[in-house]
Amino acid sequence: MRMAIAALATAARAAAPIKAPPASPLQPFTVRGRSVLVKRDDRYALPGALSGVAGNKARKLYGLYKRGFGDAEAVASLGGHQSNAFPCIAALCRAFDLPFYFVCKPVPRWLRQNPAGNYARALALGAELVPLKPDDYRRCVADEKWRSQLLKDVAGVSQVAWVPQGAASRDAEAGVAMLAAELVEDLKEYANARVVVPAGTGTTALFLARHLRDADIEVCAAPCATSSVELKRQMTVLDDASGGIGAFPTILGAPPYRFGAPDERPLATWRELAASGLHVDLVYAPAAFETLLTTADDRPQCYVHCGGNAGVATQLNRYRHAGLLGVKEIE
């Protein structure tokens, strides 16, 4: 019955053309005396019931939203408990009336007892967790055959669609291509602009560079979650899997602190951006914006604000537990 309903939903989408969301605005900010153009993709969202799928994830999931999941009877993905992609993919699966299984490492007891942030939002959307021990989690990432059988056993069906971690797949290209077209229009009065993109897997930066390779715009990837070398490797794998175009962004230096860990340095940058009127997440944006500011030259500088603000309260709680801020700063 569920498969039949999902098929009807897919057919209905095919019959009614899906309109692209409106373009996100470009807004100037002044930080440390420097003018920076900010592409407000935090305000970009999929339409209707999927309005909660916003920012970078809305770009990356747009193609999948438009194409659907075919004959799949369930959907699965993988990542951290507070991944921005987690509730977004869950919302997409709910729209297609498909069960969603999320592979993760064991959930900390405090989070199980007090669900919060993206974890709580995804569970509320019907996501089901598949917690694995660290060795099995790594095997799920690397061994496609083993993962496929695991997910079939967990879901109890034979067709499980797989969405790579963070929606880093060739399906992301359609939405990012639309972002590229918007940037060409946004920056037409800013000659030789430089666009800096926060990079986890580098998916957005890769496809932006591909679709802006003939424009007077340099795309730069600011590594946030890994080293510059590992980021290039991940982008090369995705490039090979999506046509092998070979157009890559300029990769900037990685920040000198551990990804996602509470640290006074990204907190200071986050506060500085908030004081300028720009509210961002506390994981990716401070590192990427700091990289932009320390590497900026005389060209017009543009930063792509990828969203993720919904997780700020959870991130601030981690900073409080680490003793880096007081309770009043969370309120």
Side-chain angles (χ1 to χ4, degrees):
M1 175 64 73
R2 180 182 289 276
M3 186 176 178
I5 293 174
L8 287 172
T10 303
R13 290 182 182 280
I18 296 172
K19 292 183 178 180
S24 60
L26 188 74
Q27 185 177 1
F29 287 86
T30 300
V31 184
R32 296 182 196 170
R34 173 180 287 278
S35 177
V36 179
L37 301 164
V38 178
K39 180 64 171 170
R40 298 297 303 269
D41 249 28
D42 56 314
R43 298 183 179 177
Y44 184 87
L46 294 183
L50 285 170
S51 59
V53 182
N56 176 255
K57 297 304 178 285
R59 297 288 187 184
K60 292 164 77 172
L61 291 171
Y62 174 78
L64 195 53
Y65 164 66
K66 190 172 181 179
R67 177 173 65 82
F69 294 99
D71 295 328
E73 301 163 87
V75 180
S77 189
L78 171 147
H81 309 119
Q82 294 293 357
S83 160
N84 289 328
F86 188 12
C88 293
I89 301 172
L92 191 63
C93 290
R94 169 168 279 196
F96 281 91
D97 196 39
L98 289 169
F100 174 49
Y101 298 91
F102 191 72
V103 178
C104 60
K105 294 177 182 177
V107 183
R109 182 167 61 183
W110 65 266
L111 185 59
R112 292 199 308 270
Q113 294 174 344
N114 300 283
N118 288 330
Y119 173 81
R121 283 185 281 276
L123 294 184
L125 287 164
E128 297 186 43
L129 296 180
V130 185
L132 299 178
K133 295 178 180 179
D135 286 346
D136 286 340
Y137 182 88
R138 286 190 289 269
R139 187 175 183 184
C140 195
V141 173
D143 190 336
E144 183 178 347
K145 185 176 180 181
W146 185 86
R147 179 181 70 222
S148 177
Q149 188 57 56
L150 169 73
L151 294 173
K152 289 177 183 178
D153 292 342
V154 167
V157 297
S158 60
Q159 298 290 330
V160 181
W162 176 250
V163 179
Q165 183 172 4
S169 75
R170 60 186 180 185
D171 282 317
E173 184 170 359
V176 179
M178 293 163 61
L179 171 59
E182 291 175 27
L183 284 168
V184 169
E185 182 65 22
D186 289 337
L187 300 174
K188 62 185 180 182
E189 297 179 7
Y190 300 92
N192 195 28
R194 186 178 82 136
V195 173
V196 176
V197 187
T201 61
T203 303
T204 301
L206 173 69
F207 289 139
L208 264 187
R210 177 179 293 187
H211 287 275
L212 291 174
R213 62 188 185 276
D214 295 326
D216 185 27
I217 298 170
E218 180 188 15
V219 177
C220 298
C224 297
T226 189
S227 68
S228 300
V229 172
E230 174 60 17
L231 179 61
K232 179 60 182 292
R233 187 197 68 80
Q234 292 180 17
M235 289 194 293
T236 300
V237 170
L238 181 54
D239 182 63
D240 290 342
S242 59
I245 304 302
F248 291 92
T250 300
I251 300 178
L252 305 175
Y257 41 80
R258 188 161 63 90
F259 173 68
D263 189 293
E264 291 180 349
R265 290 167 290 183
L267 181 62
T269 304
W270 180 82
R271 285 169 166 157
E272 184 179 13
L273 293 173
S276 75
L278 181 59
H279 299 281
V280 296
D281 78 286
L282 239 175
V283 177
Y284 289 89
F289 215 98
E290 188 67 36
T291 298
L292 181 153
L293 291 171
T294 56
T295 61
D297 49 30
D298 292 336
R299 291 175 293 172
Q301 304 291 310
C302 177
Y303 175 77
V304 179
H305 185 343
C306 294
N309 296 42
V312 167
T314 304
Q315 294 156 11
L316 286 174
N317 265 321
R318 295 184 65 219
Y319 274 76
R320 181 176 64 82
H321 286 299
L324 295 175
L325 80 171
V327 175
K328 288 185 178 180
E329 291 186 79
I330 301 177
E331 297 174 349

